[in-house]
Amino acid sequence: MTRKSLSSDDGRARDGALIAYFGYGSLVNRATHRTAIVDAMPARLAGWRRFWRARPDMPGFPAALLTVRPQADAACDGLLVVDRAENLAAVDAREARYRRVPLSPAALDLAGVLPRDCPVYVYEAVPDLPLHPEPPKILRSYLDAVMQGFLVEHGEDGLRRLVAETEGFDTPIHEDRHAPVYPRAVALSAAEEDLFDRLKARR
């Protein structure tokens, strides 16, 4: 990815009207967004590792969830979303049991321009919650949404990097594609289904 200018003059950002957050899982797929975002651009975040983590111990299916942790020698692709500050509470609610962590714009390699003085965040799973006692499984419907987002935003090479750079891709799958458990499930083409299944099977 070619690094471009990290910021542009935007009075809305200086006035606190705009915020940005780095999506590295389902947020990479714009079809899963539920707020009227201002902009979004492919990005790569340095210093963070993406991995599959067991769901906290709460009622429901023991799904594996994507999260990130700081790691100096790591990086991960994703989507930087520029949103209205008034929508932040709704995004926080979507990312329940994650904490919103401030990021330095310098850690981002962007395929676009970030408004000047726009605060940037990433959501990290709350680490001290007890995990579900049952072995975790990756919901196929969730994985489909994630992989489709990466294919659209980063191409097939980026999709392969997603699989290669994410820890825990050997976690078993819960096959729910045709009766999705994930509430923001997406429709796939036959070609997407075949590609996604082949990449997961290799890992």
Side-chain angles (χ1 to χ4, degrees), residues 17-46:
L18 296 181
I19 53 91
Y21 43 91
F22 178 80
Y24 52 83
S26 60
L27 280 170
V28 177
N29 192 323
R30 303 183 196 217
T32 74
H33 293 187
R34 297 296 183 263
T35 61
I37 67 171
V38 175
D39 196 7
M41 62 201 78
R44 187 165 174 84
L45 176 62

Short mmCIF file of all heavy atoms in Angstrom, two decimals, residues 17-46:
data_model
loop_
_atom_site.label_atom_id
_atom_site.label_comp_id
_atom_site.label_asym_id
_atom_site.label_seq_id
_atom_site.Cartn_x
_atom_site.Cartn_y
_atom_site.Cartn_z
N ALA A 17 -16.49 17.00 15.63
CA ALA A 17 -17.66 16.39 15.00
C ALA A 17 -17.34 15.07 14.34
O ALA A 17 -18.25 14.30 14.04
CB ALA A 17 -18.27 17.35 13.98
N LEU A 18 -16.05 14.78 14.07
CA LEU A 18 -15.65 13.55 13.39
C LEU A 18 -14.71 12.74 14.27
O LEU A 18 -13.88 13.29 15.00
CB LEU A 18 -14.95 13.86 12.07
CG LEU A 18 -15.77 14.54 10.97
CD1 LEU A 18 -14.90 14.74 9.73
CD2 LEU A 18 -17.02 13.75 10.64
N ILE A 19 -14.84 11.42 14.17
CA ILE A 19 -13.90 10.49 14.80
C ILE A 19 -13.60 9.40 13.77
O ILE A 19 -14.27 9.30 12.73
CB ILE A 19 -14.48 9.87 16.09
CG1 ILE A 19 -15.87 9.24 15.84
CG2 ILE A 19 -14.58 10.92 17.18
CD1 ILE A 19 -15.85 7.80 15.45
N ALA A 20 -12.59 8.60 14.04
CA ALA A 20 -12.25 7.49 13.14
C ALA A 20 -11.93 6.26 13.98
O ALA A 20 -11.45 6.38 15.11
CB ALA A 20 -11.07 7.85 12.25
N TYR A 21 -12.22 5.09 13.42
CA TYR A 21 -11.87 3.84 14.11
C TYR A 21 -11.39 2.83 13.07
O TYR A 21 -11.87 2.78 11.94
CB TYR A 21 -13.03 3.30 14.93
CG TYR A 21 -14.39 3.34 14.27
CD1 TYR A 21 -14.86 2.28 13.51
CD2 TYR A 21 -15.21 4.46 14.42
CE1 TYR A 21 -16.11 2.33 12.90
CE2 TYR A 21 -16.46 4.52 13.82
CZ TYR A 21 -16.91 3.45 13.07
OH TYR A 21 -18.14 3.50 12.46
N PHE A 22 -10.42 2.04 13.49
CA PHE A 22 -9.80 1.03 12.62
C PHE A 22 -10.52 -0.29 12.79
O PHE A 22 -10.50 -0.89 13.88
CB PHE A 22 -8.31 0.89 12.95
CG PHE A 22 -7.61 -0.16 12.13
CD1 PHE A 22 -7.19 0.11 10.83
CD2 PHE A 22 -7.37 -1.43 12.65
CE1 PHE A 22 -6.54 -0.85 10.07
CE2 PHE A 22 -6.72 -2.39 11.90
CZ PHE A 22 -6.31 -2.10 10.60
N GLY A 23 -11.18 -0.75 11.74
CA GLY A 23 -11.83 -2.05 11.75
C GLY A 23 -10.90 -3.11 11.19
O GLY A 23 -10.26 -2.91 10.17
N TYR A 24 -10.82 -4.26 11.87
CA TYR A 24 -9.94 -5.33 11.45
C TYR A 24 -10.68 -6.66 11.29
O TYR A 24 -10.08 -7.67 10.96
CB TYR A 24 -8.80 -5.51 12.47
CG TYR A 24 -9.31 -5.65 13.88
CD1 TYR A 24 -9.75 -6.88 14.36
CD2 TYR A 24 -9.38 -4.54 14.73
CE1 TYR A 24 -10.24 -7.00 15.64
CE2 TYR A 24 -9.87 -4.66 16.02
CZ TYR A 24 -10.30 -5.89 16.48
OH TYR A 24 -10.80 -6.01 17.75
N GLY A 25 -12.02 -6.66 11.55
CA GLY A 25 -12.83 -7.86 11.43
C GLY A 25 -14.05 -7.57 10.59
O GLY A 25 -13.94 -7.18 9.43
N SER A 26 -15.23 -7.71 11.19
CA SER A 26 -16.45 -7.48 10.42
C SER A 26 -16.61 -6.02 10.01
O SER A 26 -17.29 -5.73 9.01
CB SER A 26 -17.67 -7.95 11.22
OG SER A 26 -17.77 -7.23 12.44
N LEU A 27 -16.00 -5.09 10.74
CA LEU A 27 -16.10 -3.68 10.36
C LEU A 27 -15.42 -3.39 9.03
O LEU A 27 -15.66 -2.34 8.43
CB LEU A 27 -15.50 -2.79 11.45
CG LEU A 27 -16.38 -2.50 12.67
CD1 LEU A 27 -15.56 -1.82 13.76
CD2 LEU A 27 -17.57 -1.64 12.29
N VAL A 28 -14.58 -4.29 8.55
CA VAL A 28 -13.97 -4.10 7.23
C VAL A 28 -15.03 -4.23 6.14
O VAL A 28 -14.87 -3.66 5.05
CB VAL A 28 -12.82 -5.12 7.02
CG1 VAL A 28 -12.21 -4.98 5.63
CG2 VAL A 28 -11.74 -4.91 8.08
N ASN A 29 -16.11 -4.95 6.42
CA ASN A 29 -17.18 -5.12 5.44
C ASN A 29 -18.20 -4.00 5.61
O ASN A 29 -18.94 -3.95 6.59
CB ASN A 29 -17.85 -6.49 5.63
CG ASN A 29 -18.76 -6.85 4.48
OD1 ASN A 29 -19.43 -6.00 3.90
ND2 ASN A 29 -18.79 -8.13 4.13
N ARG A 30 -18.26 -3.11 4.64
CA ARG A 30 -19.14 -1.93 4.76
C ARG A 30 -20.61 -2.33 4.83
O ARG A 30 -21.42 -1.56 5.36
CB ARG A 30 -18.90 -0.99 3.58
CG ARG A 30 -17.45 -0.53 3.47
CD ARG A 30 -17.26 0.48 2.35
NE ARG A 30 -15.84 0.62 2.01
CZ ARG A 30 -15.26 1.76 1.65
NH1 ARG A 30 -15.99 2.87 1.57
NH2 ARG A 30 -13.98 1.82 1.35
N ALA A 31 -20.96 -3.51 4.33
CA ALA A 31 -22.36 -3.95 4.39
C ALA A 31 -22.82 -4.22 5.82
O ALA A 31 -24.01 -4.30 6.07
CB ALA A 31 -22.54 -5.21 3.54
N THR A 32 -21.88 -4.36 6.77
CA THR A 32 -22.25 -4.60 8.16
C THR A 32 -22.40 -3.31 8.96
O THR A 32 -22.81 -3.37 10.12
CB THR A 32 -21.21 -5.49 8.87
OG1 THR A 32 -20.01 -4.73 9.14
CG2 THR A 32 -20.88 -6.72 8.05
N HIS A 33 -22.06 -2.17 8.36
CA HIS A 33 -22.14 -0.91 9.11
C HIS A 33 -23.60 -0.53 9.32
O HIS A 33 -24.44 -0.71 8.43
CB HIS A 33 -21.41 0.20 8.35
CG HIS A 33 -19.93 0.00 8.26
ND1 HIS A 33 -19.09 0.95 7.76
CD2 HIS A 33 -19.14 -1.05 8.60
CE1 HIS A 33 -17.84 0.50 7.79
NE2 HIS A 33 -17.85 -0.72 8.30
N ARG A 34 -23.87 0.04 10.46
CA ARG A 34 -25.23 0.46 10.79
C ARG A 34 -25.31 1.96 11.11
O ARG A 34 -26.33 2.44 11.58
CB ARG A 34 -25.76 -0.36 11.96
CG ARG A 34 -25.89 -1.86 11.67
CD ARG A 34 -26.90 -2.13 10.57
NE ARG A 34 -27.08 -3.56 10.32
CZ ARG A 34 -26.47 -4.24 9.36
NH1 ARG A 34 -25.60 -3.63 8.56
NH2 ARG A 34 -26.71 -5.53 9.20
N THR A 35 -24.23 2.70 10.88
CA THR A 35 -24.25 4.15 11.02
C THR A 35 -23.95 4.77 9.66
O THR A 35 -23.33 4.14 8.80
CB THR A 35 -23.21 4.64 12.05
OG1 THR A 35 -21.89 4.27 11.62
CG2 THR A 35 -23.48 4.05 13.42
N ALA A 36 -24.38 6.01 9.48
CA ALA A 36 -24.16 6.72 8.22
C ALA A 36 -22.75 7.30 8.25
O ALA A 36 -22.53 8.47 8.60
CB ALA A 36 -25.20 7.81 8.02
N ILE A 37 -21.75 6.49 7.89
CA ILE A 37 -20.35 6.91 7.99
C ILE A 37 -20.06 8.03 7.00
O ILE A 37 -20.75 8.21 6.00
CB ILE A 37 -19.40 5.72 7.78
CG1 ILE A 37 -19.48 5.20 6.34
CG2 ILE A 37 -19.68 4.61 8.79
CD1 ILE A 37 -18.42 4.17 6.01
N VAL A 38 -18.98 8.76 7.27
CA VAL A 38 -18.56 9.87 6.43
C VAL A 38 -17.62 9.40 5.32
O VAL A 38 -17.72 9.81 4.18
CB VAL A 38 -17.87 10.96 7.28
CG1 VAL A 38 -17.30 12.08 6.40
CG2 VAL A 38 -18.85 11.52 8.30
N ASP A 39 -16.71 8.48 5.67
CA ASP A 39 -15.72 8.00 4.71
C ASP A 39 -15.13 6.70 5.25
O ASP A 39 -15.30 6.37 6.43
CB ASP A 39 -14.61 9.04 4.53
CG ASP A 39 -13.75 8.82 3.29
OD1 ASP A 39 -14.10 7.93 2.48
OD2 ASP A 39 -12.74 9.51 3.14
N ALA A 40 -14.48 5.96 4.40
CA ALA A 40 -13.75 4.76 4.81
C ALA A 40 -12.66 4.50 3.80
O ALA A 40 -12.83 4.79 2.60
CB ALA A 40 -14.69 3.56 4.91
N MET A 41 -11.54 3.97 4.26
CA MET A 41 -10.41 3.75 3.37
C MET A 41 -9.61 2.54 3.85
O MET A 41 -9.45 2.33 5.06
CB MET A 41 -9.52 4.99 3.33
CG MET A 41 -8.91 5.37 4.66
SD MET A 41 -8.36 7.10 4.75
CE MET A 41 -9.94 7.93 5.03
N PRO A 42 -9.13 1.70 2.92
CA PRO A 42 -8.25 0.61 3.31
C PRO A 42 -7.04 1.15 4.07
O PRO A 42 -6.54 2.25 3.79
CB PRO A 42 -7.84 -0.02 1.98
CG PRO A 42 -8.93 0.36 1.03
CD PRO A 42 -9.37 1.72 1.46
N ALA A 43 -6.57 0.38 5.04
CA ALA A 43 -5.46 0.83 5.88
C ALA A 43 -4.71 -0.37 6.42
O ALA A 43 -5.22 -1.50 6.41
CB ALA A 43 -5.99 1.68 7.04
N ARG A 44 -3.49 -0.13 6.88
CA ARG A 44 -2.71 -1.16 7.55
C ARG A 44 -2.18 -0.55 8.84
O ARG A 44 -1.62 0.56 8.84
CB ARG A 44 -1.56 -1.66 6.67
CG ARG A 44 -0.80 -2.86 7.25
CD ARG A 44 0.06 -3.53 6.20
NE ARG A 44 0.90 -4.59 6.74
CZ ARG A 44 0.51 -5.84 6.95
NH1 ARG A 44 -0.74 -6.17 6.66
NH2 ARG A 44 1.32 -6.74 7.43
N LEU A 45 -2.39 -1.27 9.93
CA LEU A 45 -2.03 -0.78 11.26
C LEU A 45 -0.77 -1.49 11.75
O LEU A 45 -0.74 -2.72 11.85
CB LEU A 45 -3.18 -1.04 12.23
CG LEU A 45 -2.94 -0.69 13.70
CD1 LEU A 45 -2.67 0.80 13.89
CD2 LEU A 45 -4.13 -1.13 14.55
N ALA A 46 0.27 -0.72 12.05
CA ALA A 46 1.53 -1.27 12.55
C ALA A 46 1.47 -1.39 14.07
O ALA A 46 0.86 -0.57 14.77
CB ALA A 46 2.69 -0.38 12.14
#
